[in-house]
Amino acid sequence: MTEGKQYEAVIGLEVHAQLATKSKLFCSDATNFGAAPNTQISPITMGHPGSLPKTNKKAVEFAIKMGLACNSTIVKENYFARKNYFYPDLPKGYQISQHTTPICAGGNIQIKVGDQKRYVQLNRIHLEEDAGKSIHDIDPTHTLIDLNRAGTPLIEIVTEPDIFSAEEAFAYVTEIRKLVQWLGICDGNMEEGSLRCDANVSVRLKGEKKLGTRVEVKNLNSIRNVKKSIEYEIARMIEVLESGGTITQQTRSFDASNDTTFPLRDKEEANDYRYFPDPDLAPFVLSDTYINEIKLGLPILPDALEEKLMTQYQLSRYDATQICESLNTVQYFEATAKHTSNYKSVANWMLGPIKSYLNEVGLDYSNLGLQPNILADLIRIIDAGQFNFSVGASKILPQIADGKKTDILAVATELNLLQVNDADTLEKWVDAAIASMPDKVIEYQKGKKGLIGLFIGAVKKISQGQADPNKASELLIQKLNK
Ligand code: ADP
Ligand code: MG
């Protein structure tokens, strides 16, 4: 984009994360995804007159966990507010949310783009209930309503306008997804809508302090779509400005079939939701003791763990970052490190061949069949020279990855993959190789040392790949130099 020099994009993201509680935010209805429509609803979810909501303590705890992990200030005096608007999937006519007292204020989330790290400032994290779902694509003439989702607890994580490119937005949502999964407060499943993102995008001339007019792209359901929609919006807005037009404040939607966005509605400066404290829910106060208890129960966070992996296991920054991709991965690494001290090799296996295998079969480290102690065996056998890494990766791993076979030496014997490093046998093969090429021996001895490869090749062939290549070449050199 040639105009990139003149314009700067400014982005603020609102991420909704469904909290992984068993029941809803204000009643005991289940929150399972994919249940038959309208089977997880009660008078409270439906907003029937006289029904009384009651706050789910677990949801409050999860929201505080996220806030603590993001260095937010936990707001102690909280109340829920009614955000009034009409929508077919909002049976009560209002959504219970937080208004002036988001449970977490401020904070930040570290993102990495390339090898640059930077903190994105948060505005707030607040608790609210989800709405139901309007389904437009089942009946040709009617919109159907499924209220199962209504009342599911959400946290909404809102940034300051502090993101400046589609890549940064991509990194930010990636980081949020990792963090909520790490904390165990949300499954992070974007296809099922457990994590959804609205992107607010504006552009302004470089150096300009005032924010440009924004558009809000609603309900992005993959990290890729967050990036694509922002890329599209930035280009579109610059084009409008370049051709002398002005940006209209709009709510837009993303069309994943061609990576464009289209307008849903023009947005007034501020919607009037007539917020007021929900009279059915008592304000709640969080004590320092309670907040501290939650703090003590937090798992070690990815950044701190990365440092630990580097000092305790001497991993490179790169390996440590990759291993910290998810809690499952770290747990598997640490479990394996209990059985071997070749930590570098554990990382190589986990980030190389095993990761490819997991991608292929659609599993992750939490459900990998290959057990940590067996991976450690594999590493030990390779270190002892019984076969090499590439044989291990291409021939042995596929046999043991599902965890059914655990005796690696038996597998290697069966496939005839064990290297022979017994001195007598090796000598026999080496002698045979030398005897097969008398003229090459003379050339070698005259100084054509490069021919060693040819002899090694001959040993390989004669031994049908079973000769330990390091030992064999040592022996070859010894004999040829005599
Ligand atoms: P609303 O509730 O109407 O969506 P908010 O003021 O809560 O509006 O802002 C929502 C998000 O939009 C925040 O992440 C904020 O940083 C971002 N934002 C606000 N103005 C702009 C702008 N001009 N350009 C980019 N992002 C913006
Ligand atoms: Mg918004």
Side-chain angles (χ1 to χ4, degrees), residues 305-350:
L305 197 53
E306 216 174 284
E307 300 298 325
K308 181 186 154 197
L309 293 185
M310 288 169 66
T311 47
Q312 189 171 334
Y313 304 106
Q314 302 85 47
L315 292 188
S316 66
R317 162 84 58 196
Y318 179 81
D319 285 354
T321 309
Q322 302 287 309
I323 295 284
C324 287
E325 196 106 297
S326 76
L327 202 52
N328 293 333
T329 313
V330 184
Q331 283 165 347
Y332 193 93
F333 176 86
E334 295 211 288
T336 312
K338 286 204 180 95
H339 301 278
T340 170
S341 54
N342 192 346
Y343 309 129
K344 172 69 191 154
S345 198
V346 178
N348 288 346
W349 274 99
M350 287 186 62

Side-chain angles (χ1 to χ4, degrees), residues 231-271:
E231 277 169 357
Y232 178 82
E233 269 312 302
I234 294 172
R236 184 188 69 83
M237 288 169 139
I238 290 175
E239 210 177 294
V240 170
L241 294 176
E242 282 288 283
S243 60
T246 47
I247 309 291
T248 324
Q249 185 168 341
Q250 273 176 338
T251 302
R252 298 177 72 95
S253 188
F254 181 65
D255 181 350
S257 70
N258 56 11
D259 291 347
T260 61
T261 69
F262 58 94
L264 288 176
R265 54 185 177 268
D266 285 3
K267 195 170 182 175
E268 299 297 312
E269 196 44 50
N271 288 317

Side-chain angles (χ1 to χ4, degrees), residues 10 12-14 158-161 200 202 211-212 214 216 267:
V10 181
L13 296 180
E14 298 162 83
V158 184
T159 74
E160 293 295 343
N200 297 269
S202 63
L211 291 173
R214 70 168 150 145
E216 180 171 0
K267 195 170 182 175

Side-chain angles (χ1 to χ4, degrees), residues 370-385:
L370 175 69
Q371 292 306 298
N373 62 320
I374 307 298
L375 174 58
D377 283 349
L378 179 61
I379 291 170
R380 197 171 312 109
I381 290 168
I382 289 172
D383 288 347

